[in-house]
Amino acid sequence: MRRSLISNLLLLFGTFILLGAFAYRLLITSDIPVSYAIDEAVTLHVLIFISTMLYICGSMIGSRNTIRYTVIAVLTVFMVLNIYLFNTDAEYFDASYAQIAIVFILHPLLVILINVLVQLKTSQRIKTVFEDKTATRSNKAAEKARN
């Protein structure tokens, strides 16, 4: 119960920080012809990093698979939406704009990858435990048959 609560709170805080970073990105890129300073971009990357760490910790602490599946589904939709909105035809598209825009594609991709790997490891562990129990039962049955 306590782990589930902590996991949900971390995911909630990660979501709030991610939405705040997205709003900050919209604020930064709304005045592109004026250009933005490097400290604004660094602030954005720090916010995304904090959100990523909260998502990763929240999904790893949560012991339920539904949390991981939900995180994977929501971030997949978010990533696809950002790829769709990634505008390369704009006159102001340069390396600095790409640095700000691509982080919203890489963040969900990293969290999705880690969640898939954790899910695969969890399912492999469950499969190993199941096989061990089955092997133990069959060994006991064979032992009883011999006696």
Side-chain angles (χ1 to χ4, degrees), residues 25 28-29 36 40-41 44-45 95-104:
R25 171 192 165 203
I28 290 173
T29 58
Y36 51 88
E40 293 172 331
L44 180 69
H45 281 276
S96 59
Y97 178 76
Q99 182 184 12
I100 287 179
I102 202 78
V103 73
F104 287 96

Side-chain angles (χ1 to χ4, degrees), residues 19-71:
L19 291 174
F22 189 74
Y24 190 62
R25 171 192 165 203
L26 292 177
L27 179 71
I28 290 173
T29 58
S30 66
D31 59 351
I32 286 294
V34 178
S35 112
Y36 51 88
I38 192 71
D39 60 339
E40 293 172 331
V42 169
T43 303
L44 180 69
H45 281 276
V46 167
L47 287 173
I48 291 295
F49 176 75
I50 291 170
S51 175
T52 303
M53 290 298 114
L54 288 173
Y55 266 105
I56 290 171
C57 290
S59 61
M60 291 181 98
I61 288 174
S63 58
R64 295 183 308 187
N65 291 339
T66 56
I67 292 174
R68 290 189 195 102
Y69 289 138
T70 305
V71 167

Side-chain angles (χ1 to χ4, degrees), residues 2 23 32 41 53 56 60 66 72 80 101 103 106-107 122 144:
R2 184 178 204 101
I32 286 294
M53 290 298 114
I56 290 171
M60 291 181 98
T66 56
I72 290 170
V80 169
V103 73
L106 295 178
H107 157 75
T122 304
K144 283 183 182 181

